[in-house]
Amino acid sequence: MDATDAAANQRLPLIAVARRLPQRLRGINRLGFALIFLIPSLVIFGAFVFYPLLKAVYLGFYETDPFGNQGDFVALDQYRTVLTSESFRHSLWITFLFALYTVPPGILLGLALALLANQKLPGISIFRIMFSSTVATSVAVASLMWLTLLNPSVGLLNYFLVEAGQPRIDWLNDLDWALPAVSATTVWLNLGLAFIVILAGLQAIPEELYESARVEGASDLSVFWHVTLPLLSPTLFFVSVVGTILAFQSFGQIHILTRGGPLDATTVIVYSIWQDAFQRFDYGVASVQAVALFLLVLGLTVIQIRFLERRVFYQ
Amino acid sequence: MDLPTARQGVERYRRWAGYALRYAVLLVVAGIVVFPIYMTVVNSLLSSTSIIAWPPELFPFDPQWDNFRKALDEVPLMRYMLNSLIMAGVIVIGQLVTSALAAYAFAFLRFPGRTFLFILFLSTLMVPWEVSIVPNFQTIQRLDWLDSYQALTVPFLATGLGTFLLRQHFLTIPQELRDAAAIDGYGHIRFLIFVVLPLSRAVLAALAVFGFLQAWNQYLWPLLVTNEENMRTVQIGLAALRGREVDTFNITMAATVISALPILIMLVLFQRQLVRGLTAGALKG
Amino acid sequence: MKKVLISLVLLIVAASVAACGGEDEGEPADGDGSTPTARVVEITFWHSEVASNLDAIQSLARRFNSEQDGVKVKTAFQGNDEEAMLKLTAFLGSGDVPALVYLAEVDTQRLVDSGVARPVQEFIDREDYDLSDFDEKAIQYYTVDGELYGMPFGVGVPLLYYNKLDFSEVGLDPEQPPKDLEVMRVFSQKLVKRDSLGNILRAGIALVLMPWFLEVILAEHGDFYVNNGNGREGRATEVVFDGSAGQAFFRSWHEMIEEGLAISVGRNPSYADALLAMGTGRATMSLSSSGALRSVVDVLERGEMDVEPGVGAVPGVPGGTGLPGMAGRSLWILTGRPEEEQEAAWKFIKWLLEPEQQAEWFAGSGYLPVRISAYDLPAAQSAIAEYPLFRLPIDLFLEAPSTPESLGPLLGPFRDVREVVATAMEETVVGSRDPTEALDDAAAEANEIIENYNRRLGE
């Protein structure tokens, strides 16, 4: 290759860069201005979210002594053994199932409730309060409530079964029922929040749009498909992204209802992290799983943003 | 006054039937949703023997109001609720401020790295607390904040979820509004405070409700960073009342009902916001 | 929105003012208490007691504080055993620990290994503190390498609970609970009731899949759980619970489920499921600990249920001692606090272990006193008179031998190993897995855990 050619080739991008420089500077300026708005959040996140996350990444490279102190450096060994283990794969699968059982049903039920409560009827606000009332319960309280309802001896669900002449089901100790039972509890627990958010979204849709659609003779169903859904899509997008993230973090209900059992049928990754961190005090192993979970959910979210948000309709 | 024609009668009948059907559906659905909460209230009023009766008791025919007194006697629940209220209130206000600012930037400002920063904000939701709780505890300890309201609130003053929620709403506010405001000489801050926020009352209310609930329901973190009786929060009190044996379940439920009251009150308060906050005309500006 | 926000702010301000007021109220007491001569040493006491036991422990601490001037004990509830241990571990990192903690037996060896505990033996030796009135095995239970670490305080024994009415109904002697697993099976065959489809209406026994019961069975049979004399003669390096008694136990539970004589209530996270199954007639017998006795009597006998509760020793493998050993919590002094606080903690421990307080603690909580003379005191006697069923667990406790077999294991990774055993129980009871395979696999996995722990410990 000719030396002058090479020099010319090098110069060209330089000129391009120089031309773009004011633009860049403006970009940095704009970033600086935006940061004024972002700094308060970033400071908190940096200290209480990203610092622990980086610490977890770091701890993944070290063994832990039985009292939770940092032990020997093991490079990537710990990452390798934990991530390829049978139990990690199992809890990954359970986590996936749990998300599947909780996120889509949660959104559909929340949407159904919000549509019901968006009618203009006297006294509708009482129903709105009732529909959103599950938010008044904490994870611990909701789990206790369901523990009673699902109890094989004195629970109401089994009372109905017995009255119907069916054998009792020990929901939380049955290999096939435990995960669905925990999922149902979770759907109920999160229903109030999904309802509130979706209802707020519905309320934001201008009434004229409905009216003009009806004037044009659109049926209820077609109004729903062509007016409600598109205008609600930012909200539904939000609910599905957040719902997925939260499903992957669900812990309390599993801890109280099943403790991951029976036979690990409800051991999601965060439960496994809890066991490693606070029963075995093996922070190294817990950190590896946490980092893996973080990257997994991050990947999922990026995919959702890439593919779902394209279909989202912002006014 | 003339007699209604047959057609009018049918019409009226239809309308009434339609109403009746709608209310019936609403009632059934509400009944199912509220049932576990109803049972909690029932259980909180049963005696320790009737709470495990078979068939289960569906109504407290002999309400044991004493359960509530016992719950309040055993732990200083009122004091704990006060702490929870302060904690949750500070967190809510902090979160509203930080996330409104951040969401504004993500929705109305164009700057390099916007998507990256947005995903960074979202990623804060993905760090399992199981691994962050110990390092955060150590941070609080190093700051010498144990047994203080700072320890209970500062780590939660920003929220990725709230930022996301508000951004979603801000994005539905037409760009023309911003342009019009700019012509009127509004800067970003004034536009945010006087135009965007009033338009977002419903979502802000939802965020406030959610932030409050999360804070109110915190258990492990307050347990970790407080030792003093006068800094402890309501969920710790509930845990202390939660007996291991069958005979204290009604007391636990009574305490649960007490602890949920502020949330229910808040729900009723904010419900009006959620209902009226965004009416049809509000968006047109 | 504005109105709501404003009212919220006002509420917070009002609440803060009230909160500060509350703190002030607490202060004068300190000022009054400090005389120029004797300085008050304040210590923090972490515990995990809830509900009525919380009352009992708090009133003991209050009484101690009012009866003397030198020490002020502040109780702090720290969640359940797991959460308390979590918190303790978090605090250990900084050395800022409380002077006194109250911990379950499962953590004994790990806490000794961590090196943060001050054995109460040091105080005992220094003062020639007299242990002759103490139950020997309760002392030995928490003794590691010849030194008593935690002072036994909240102990109990495992118990079989059964419904005497059911026994009478099928012609069994209501005063004769099954003495071993074989008899339990024969009884269950008589007791079981099925509907026309073969569904169990009433089982012989409701089994709780708590790993503790394997320890109980081995202690009762006089077998070791881990090697090196149950870890009491030297550090345990492997489990031996998969011997003949352990196998017979697993097989028996497995077969009772397979034959439809027993039901499982799983791991029983709420502790009450087995007793509820008994209370509602789903099973005649169930397993729990002596700590549940008072609530069983209060709810099942004095309630409106068709139950007349009886108690027996946990049925073990045939040929056992009939004495299933003990378990429970103990009081630990930690080295992280200044010497004077450790001394203060010891002073409080001594006071708690006086017969009078032991009797009061028994009456208030249902935990068994470890001071023998406490049983003769009026408070204990009236508790026994109110709950005559207590006689049996007291006998079981006092008569159990103080051998390493009966005392059960000392094991660093005890929690993890229990988790493995619980999973094996689930496999064979819920998952119909061959009991021998399940137990053998559990032993292998437990050995790995122990090896890993000992390696991480650097031994």
Side-chain angles (χ1 to χ4, degrees), chain A residues 90-107:
Chain A
H90 174 78
S91 49
L92 204 60
W93 171 240
I94 297 293
T95 308
F96 169 74
L97 283 182
F98 180 76
L100 191 69
Y101 291 169
T102 53
V103 179
I107 295 175

Side-chain angles (χ1 to χ4, degrees), chain A residues 98 103 115 182 226 241 271:
Chain A
F98 180 76
V103 179
L115 287 172
V182 172
H226 298 293
V241 171
Y271 198 74

Side-chain angles (χ1 to χ4, degrees), chain B residues 66-85:
Chain B
D66 209 33
N67 293 345
F68 285 87
R69 196 188 49 77
K70 277 187 199 152
L72 291 171
D73 275 358
E74 275 189 33
V75 295
L77 216 51
M78 283 311 187
R79 170 75 220 199
Y80 291 176
M81 295 216 322
L82 200 65
N83 287 335
S84 286
L85 200 64

Side-chain angles (χ1 to χ4, degrees), chain C residues 22-302:
Chain C
E23 274 161 42
D24 290 342
E25 279 165 37
E27 292 310 310
D30 270 347
D32 295 343
S34 58
T35 55
T37 46
R39 208 161 55 83
V40 179
V41 181
E42 191 175 279
I43 60 166
T44 308
F45 171 36
W46 284 10
H47 70 85
S48 308
E49 292 294 358
V50 294
S52 55
N53 290 3
L54 174 72
D55 267 356
I57 208 158
Q58 282 178 340
S59 74
L60 277 172
R62 270 197 302 271
R63 194 151 71 77
F64 176 73
N65 288 340
S66 66
E67 281 180 10
Q68 46 76 50
D69 294 330
V71 180
K72 187 178 172 212
V73 175
K74 259 179 26 190
T75 58
F77 167 73
Q78 302 295 7
N80 62 29
D81 285 332
E82 264 173 11
E83 288 151 3
M85 203 58 202
L86 186 175
K87 184 160 177 176
L88 185 63
T89 307
F91 271 78
L92 284 181
S94 66
D96 187 18
V97 291
L100 188 60
V101 289
Y102 179 52
L103 294 170
E105 77 287 329
V106 68
D107 293 311
T108 301
Q109 181 68 50
R110 211 174 72 88
L111 212 59
V112 170
D113 291 339
S114 72
V116 297
R118 172 134 185 220
V120 292
Q121 189 76 44
E122 286 182 19
F123 298 94
I124 291 170
D125 291 347
R126 189 189 65 196
E127 296 177 14
D128 268 335
Y129 181 73
D130 184 14
L131 289 176
S132 61
D133 185 41
F134 282 70
D135 181 74
E136 167 68 9
K137 102 188 98 331
I139 296 296
Q140 286 306 319
Y141 193 85
Y142 300 98
T143 298
V144 183
D145 291 336
E147 289 196 279
L148 179 63
Y149 272 83
M151 186 62 101
F153 184 61
V155 302
V157 293
L159 277 185
L160 172 83
Y161 291 86
Y162 65 101
N163 187 352
K164 291 182 180 176
L165 299 179
D166 290 354
F167 270 50
S168 306
E169 179 198 313
V170 298
L172 292 168
D173 181 353
E175 300 309 321
Q176 291 292 325
K179 64 182 198 310
D180 63 35
L181 287 163
E182 284 306 311
V183 181
M184 184 167 97
R185 186 151 154 183
V186 174
F187 281 16
S188 296
Q189 281 159 351
K190 289 192 180 164
L191 287 162
V192 75
K193 275 203 270 190
R194 298 192 180 87
D195 67 9
S196 54
L197 295 169
N199 298 313
I200 304 175
L201 295 176
R202 180 178 75 195
I205 183 164
L207 297 176
V208 190
L209 306 186
M210 267 170 121
W212 180 39
F213 287 113
L214 177 60
E215 295 150 40
V216 167
I217 294 287
L218 295 177
E220 192 267 347
H221 198 253
D223 286 1
F224 287 124
Y225 187 90
V226 290
N227 67 353
N228 290 335
N230 253 349
R232 289 172 186 275
E233 281 154 20
R235 180 174 293 283
T237 56
E238 58 181 22
V239 297
V240 294
F241 58 56
D242 51 342
S244 62
Q247 299 287 3
F249 164 64
F250 259 54
R251 184 157 299 282
S252 170
W253 276 28
H254 171 79
E255 287 173 358
M256 288 202 50
I257 292 282
E258 297 287 303
E259 290 164 16
L261 300 174
I263 52 170
S264 150
V265 293
R267 293 199 190 189
N268 194 19
S270 73
Y271 295 87
D273 292 349
L275 297 170
L276 284 180
M278 190 181 129
T280 51
R282 287 177 67 219
T284 294
M285 297 177 271
S286 75
L287 300 171
S288 189
S289 81
S290 57
L293 193 142
R294 293 190 317 163
S295 68
V296 168
V297 172
D298 288 346
V299 176
L300 301 189
E301 185 177 326
R302 294 171 192 169

